Amino acid sequence: MVKQGIQIFARAKPTKQKLAGIYEVYEDDNGTSCLAFTVPKDLADGYINNKREVYKFRFDKVFDQDSKQDEIFEEVAQGVIDNVLTGYNGTIFAYGQTGSGKTFTITGGAERYVDRGLIPRSLSYIFEYFEKHSETVFTAHISYLEIYMESGYDLLDPKHEASKLEDLPKVTLFEDNDSNIHLKNLSMHQASNEEEALNLLFLGDTNRMIAETPMNQASTRSHCIFTIHISSRDPGSATIRRAKLHLVDLAGSERVGKTNVGGTLLTEAKYINLSLHYLEQVIVALSEKSRSHIPYRNSMMTSVLRDSLGGNCMTTMIATCSLEKKNLDESISTCRFAQRVAMIKNDVLLNEEIDPKLMIAQLKAEVQRLKDELAMATGQEYTGELTENEMDRLRQMVKSYIEDVDPEAVLSVGADMRKINYCFQLLKNYLLDKSKLKPSPPPQKTPTMNGDHDSSYLGNHTELSKLKDLIRQRDNEINILVGMLKKEKKRAADLGVSGKQGGGRFYDRTGVAPDGVRRSTSQPLNDDSGNELSNKRSTSRTRENGRPSSDTTEHREQPQAAGEDSSHHRPSSAYRRKLDEMSVGRKEAFETFRRDYDHNDTIEENKQTLKLRYADAKRLGEQTRSKRKLNNTEFDVQCKVQGELHSTAFS
């Protein structure tokens, strides 16, 4: 609870008369706005006259004749509306003499848009605030009450059947046990936007009681209270804040002796002055600390404004003053009334309450959650199938969970195993459907020995993977070179042995024999094996092409001479020494590389496999060579027999 004083403002009505020396607006040494009136002494009262001449009054701010409507709104109403939007009650009321500008300040003029008063400007400000804070749920309801001759009327008659004031629904008061005032037959209309709210304001203004008086051509003969009820709730919260904003246009006080009115106008003036008198009594009682009774029930207006005066409300008053010389007494009386109002302290509270519907829903959800936890802790399983509504809700939850880009998103369905299993099934179906729809990746080209890569390879690999592949390619090249060196060394040793025997052939570095047939350098081949390999290749080419190969025929027709010397194919001694030195240096490098290489085990296994295959090939070669020797022996025997036959015939 906060003690909040009532703020008071003063506004001077513009006039065309010369007012030099009658009033003054200034600021004192403390920076407080002051309004001073000067009343010259009347010589008719005599030379000895102790009547006071200067009257000074302090206000929170004084608005001179040139003040604009937007300035009035910003200083008087905007702060109160901001508090109302946060949950505090607020009241703004205008008080003053008839014709001093109360209705123009509260409602505004109808001729120009810039002459809008506090009520239409407040509606615009409130709905703009609603749009800026769209995350909060706001609702606004409007009521319009008129108090005419101590009777209340609803200016927003929902039936719109009234042709005169007496036909409007009559509003009555009643008080509950907590001393709260309730208005019966006062309708409240919801406004969802500014246009609807302004339409309600215009409807109420057309039903107001207005009459022409000597003081004002269009004088409001009643008190009008325009109330905006605002409720707000944050998303997911069960707390509702309710506040109301009263914008009160009081009827103007007047002296019957000056106006000389009669009839209905006189009766209206009596009721107006009486209700304002009761209002002043309430204010005087509130300003006196020793008073225990506040006469709110004396009039309907003081009963309705019970919260605004000394209750739970932030209240602001604007006193309108007429600066003409004939109205100085009424203007001074108005300022004195404002000074008494400033002494009142209100007890301001934040109007919060718990929405029973939301609280019931939250309690039900909490009970269900506790039941789920208890069922999971005790091992009790639910019986029955999930309803269609539950499955739809679970599908929506899983869909939202899959589409959520937040890596820390959580899918919470409670402790019901039926729901958990159903969600797992939905996720599994989603993955299966996604794998079916996923296109197969395009074939990637294997990197060649020359380092060529296709575009897909470069597009689908990162820089790190490309570097790893490059290193792997270099390792393969080193392995191939080392293997070639090893084979070269072994072939040189085999050539040395074959040269001593005189029956071997020499092959160059490419492993191609003089007959044009490429042979493996890892096997010591002789003429028979070479001829056999040539015969097999010739046979295969003949089967593929359907006719014998000419190259094979030429090789068969040109056998090597039996006594041909092959010593000129042997490498020179300098070349052999250089080859030995190169082999020894590279052997050490190779041993170091082989010791540190990661795939030594695989290489050893491959070597053992090659040895076994080499042994099988050697065995098959021996068998082939034996068969050829047998064929050659048979051929020699036949030749020998034929020779003997020829010699016998000639002899």
Side-chain angles (χ1 to χ4, degrees), residues 455-474:
S455 59
S456 62
Y457 179 83
L458 292 175
N460 297 330
H461 284 70
T462 60
E463 188 67 23
L464 180 60
S465 61
K466 289 189 289 185
L467 293 175
K468 289 183 178 180
D469 293 339
L470 183 60
I471 293 174
R472 191 178 299 109
Q473 179 182 348
R474 293 296 182 264

Side-chain angles (χ1 to χ4, degrees), residues 325-549:
K325 187 176 181 180
K326 63 180 180 179
N327 297 325
L328 286 181
D329 292 339
E330 285 77 10
S331 298
I332 292 173
S333 177
T334 299
C335 293
R336 286 175 176 170
F337 178 83
Q339 301 301 308
R340 288 192 292 270
V341 171
M343 299 175 64
I344 300 175
K345 300 292 183 181
N346 292 343
D347 297 327
V348 182
L349 294 174
L350 183 64
N351 301 306
E352 289 184 340
E353 62 183 33
I354 303 299
D355 188 359
K357 295 182 179 179
L358 292 177
M359 181 57 66
I360 291 173
Q362 289 182 355
L363 292 176
K364 287 183 177 180
E366 184 177 1
V367 169
Q368 185 63 36
R369 180 177 59 81
L370 294 175
K371 286 182 178 180
D372 294 341
E373 293 180 357
L374 181 62
M376 180 167 284
T378 58
Q380 179 183 359
E381 295 185 0
Y382 290 90
T383 58
E385 299 293 334
L386 293 174
T387 62
E388 189 64 29
N389 293 332
E390 290 177 339
M391 289 189 291
D392 291 339
R393 186 171 60 86
L394 292 175
R395 282 192 289 267
Q396 292 294 331
M397 293 175 65
V398 171
K399 182 179 179 181
S400 301
Y401 175 75
I402 293 174
E403 295 176 352
D404 194 350
V405 296
D406 186 6
E408 298 182 358
V410 178
L411 176 61
S412 177
V413 296
D416 191 348
M417 293 304 300
R418 300 173 303 167
K419 298 180 180 179
I420 295 174
N421 292 330
Y422 186 73
C423 290
F424 274 119
Q425 182 181 357
L426 293 176
L427 291 172
K428 183 177 180 181
N429 294 337
Y430 172 78
L431 291 176
L432 292 176
D433 295 340
K434 187 176 181 181
S435 61
K436 291 179 181 178
L437 297 176
K438 184 177 181 181
S440 58
Q444 298 182 359
K445 184 179 178 180
T446 305
T448 61
M449 295 298 295
N450 296 328
D452 297 333
H453 302 274
D454 59 356
S455 59
S456 62
Y457 179 83
L458 292 175
N460 297 330
H461 284 70
T462 60
E463 188 67 23
L464 180 60
S465 61
K466 289 189 289 185
L467 293 175
K468 289 183 178 180
D469 293 339
L470 183 60
I471 293 174
R472 191 178 299 109
Q473 179 182 348
R474 293 296 182 264
D475 291 342
N476 294 334
E477 293 177 356
I478 293 173
N479 291 335
I480 293 172
L481 293 175
V482 171
M484 291 176 63
L485 291 174
K486 185 176 180 181
K487 292 176 181 179
E488 191 74 21
K489 181 179 179 181
K490 187 173 183 180
R491 186 168 58 84
D494 294 339
L495 287 175
V497 176
S498 301
K500 292 180 180 180
Q501 294 177 355
R505 290 187 179 182
F506 174 75
Y507 303 95
D508 59 4
R509 290 177 180 265
T510 60
V512 180
D515 57 359
V517 180
R518 183 181 182 91
R519 297 182 175 85
S520 175
T521 57
S522 61
Q523 298 180 9
L525 300 179
N526 51 17
D527 296 343
D528 297 334
S529 61
N531 294 334
E532 183 68 21
L533 182 58
S534 300
N535 294 334
K536 290 182 179 181
R537 291 184 178 178
S538 301
T539 306
S540 62
R541 285 196 296 268
T542 303
R543 292 176 180 176
E544 292 176 358
N545 301 329
R547 60 181 182 270
S549 176

Side-chain angles (χ1 to χ4, degrees), residues 33 46 53 87 93 122-124 138 176 185 191 249 259 269 298 326-327 387 405 533 560 581 588 639 647 650:
S33 297
E53 295 186 28
F93 70 95
S122 299
L123 293 174
S124 299
F138 289 98
D176 58 14
N185 295 330
D249 180 15
T259 58
N298 288 347
K326 63 180 180 179
N327 297 325
T387 62
V405 296
L533 182 58
Q560 184 180 359
E581 293 175 358
E588 295 177 357
C639 291
S647 60
F650 283 114

